[in-house]
Amino acid sequence: HALHAEWDKFNIKDGLADEKVTLLDPASGTLTFPAEAINIAVEEQHKYSESVSGLKNHFLSHFFAFEILMASYIIGHLRMGLLFEALRIPLEEDERFPLYLTNSLDFSEVHRSSFPFIADLAEEAEEAKKVKEKDILVILGNPPYTSEKKEKGALPEWIKEKLQDYAKGLGVEQEKKKGVLQDDYVRFIRFAHWKIDRYGKGIIAFITNNSYLDGIIHRSMRKQLLDSFDEIY
């Protein structure tokens, strides 16, 4: 609901119901946040009309979600099916909410395969890659946070390179222990920061660990966020 006060700044009058809004949850779990965003958009629509049928295409073409765990992915799709039923705009057989099984932080090329299940996963990854390249106005959710050491080489090269930006400037390069910048929540902030920077406008609304607010090693990260965003709260 904190988004409500921001819409005037983007010349958006209908909040999350507005066709200008694109939204992404890059670590969606079972779609708690996108589902609530849809409910809020329906509330906005009810200010003008009882019918929400016109919102269906908006949700299916402008709201997106990524999830890496198969169980959460399956539950998320079931949840959306039930939500659209409850809103009386049920999904047809050829329709699906744009939730994709993917690693949000991986921008590597998708390898094709002729094996049926693998081919389906490759197609899913290809569709997700298209979304990763879209302009997104609102990036929201509750990304994971852990500073546990990851397997060497497990982190995709793309996000490794982007994280280097938070390790430059203000003398951070000289610090010996920069492992805190590898925390998962920092990676997701970097992903969202990059997307909003590229679009030139937007909102990040994350629940995160708070260590970056005053962490010594995070000082360049803070500066770069302050350089990019007009308001942070």
Side-chain angles (χ1 to χ4, degrees):
H1 286 280
L3 293 172
H4 280 300
E6 303 301 322
W7 296 128
D8 286 346
K9 299 172 186 176
F10 295 99
N11 191 29
I12 290 171
K13 64 179 179 121
D14 295 331
L16 289 167
D18 200 294
E19 281 288 315
K20 297 189 190 80
V21 172
T22 47
L23 177 146
L24 170 68
D25 186 338
S28 66
T30 57
L31 292 182
T32 298
F33 286 86
E36 183 60 16
I38 286 173
N39 283 325
I40 290 171
V42 168
E43 288 176 20
E44 296 281 353
Q45 180 71 9
H46 279 157
K47 292 177 183 176
Y48 310 104
S49 169
E50 282 299 310
S51 173
V52 297
S53 58
L55 287 178
K56 183 180 180 182
N57 183 62
H58 175 47
F59 298 145
L60 298 186
S61 58
H62 295 140
F63 283 31
F64 307 98
F66 298 149
E67 176 51 43
I68 198 169
L69 298 177
M70 179 66 82
S72 297
Y73 168 81
I74 291 169
I75 293 169
H77 275 296
L78 291 172
R79 182 179 201 160
M80 277 299 167
L82 293 171
L83 177 59
F84 277 76
E85 287 277 354
L87 294 173
R88 298 183 181 178
I89 46 173
L91 298 175
E92 304 297 334
E93 284 189 16
D94 61 341
E95 293 178 326
R96 57 169 279 180
F97 180 77
L99 161 63
Y100 297 104
L101 188 68
T102 186
N103 179 350
S104 301
L105 307 178
D106 190 353
F107 275 64
S108 58
E109 289 301 314
V110 178
H111 298 291
R112 292 289 178 180
S113 171
S114 58
F115 292 101
F117 179 68
I118 304 298
D120 288 343
L121 288 179
E123 185 175 343
E124 185 87 354
E126 190 66 49
E127 290 301 311
K129 194 166 187 296
K130 292 176 185 175
V131 176
K132 290 174 188 178
E133 293 165 356
K134 283 181 181 289
D135 288 332
I136 302 293
L137 187 72
V138 179
I139 303 176
L140 84 176
N142 183 11
Y145 32 100
T146 174
S147 55
E148 292 174 10
K149 191 174 180 182
K150 301 290 190 297
E151 260 182 65
K152 191 175 180 182
L155 191 62
E157 285 301 320
W158 179 86
I159 195 65
K160 275 186 189 175
E161 292 175 12
K162 293 297 175 190
L163 282 169
Q164 287 302 309
D165 294 338
Y166 286 169
K168 295 174 183 174
L170 302 181
V172 177
E173 302 95 329
Q174 281 73 52
E175 298 283 356
K176 291 181 180 177
K177 296 181 179 179
K178 296 193 279 288
V180 291
L181 295 175
Q182 296 299 318
D183 194 305
D184 279 335
Y185 86 90
V186 175
R187 296 169 181 175
F188 277 91
I189 287 177
R190 184 69 193 101
F191 166 78
H193 185 181
W194 168 77
K195 283 198 70 63
I196 299 299
D197 258 352
R198 197 177 70 157
Y199 192 16
K201 59 184 177 181
I203 298 169
I204 300 173
F206 279 165
I207 295 173
T208 73
N209 191 320
N210 66 11
S211 59
Y212 76 106
L213 297 179
D214 58 7
I216 294 172
I217 306 299
H218 302 87
R219 58 188 183 269
S220 184
M221 175 185 177
R222 285 194 293 274
K223 181 179 186 306
Q224 290 183 53
L225 288 168
L226 286 164
D227 286 344
S228 289
F229 292 89
D230 298 296
E231 297 179 28
I232 301 177
Y233 50 88

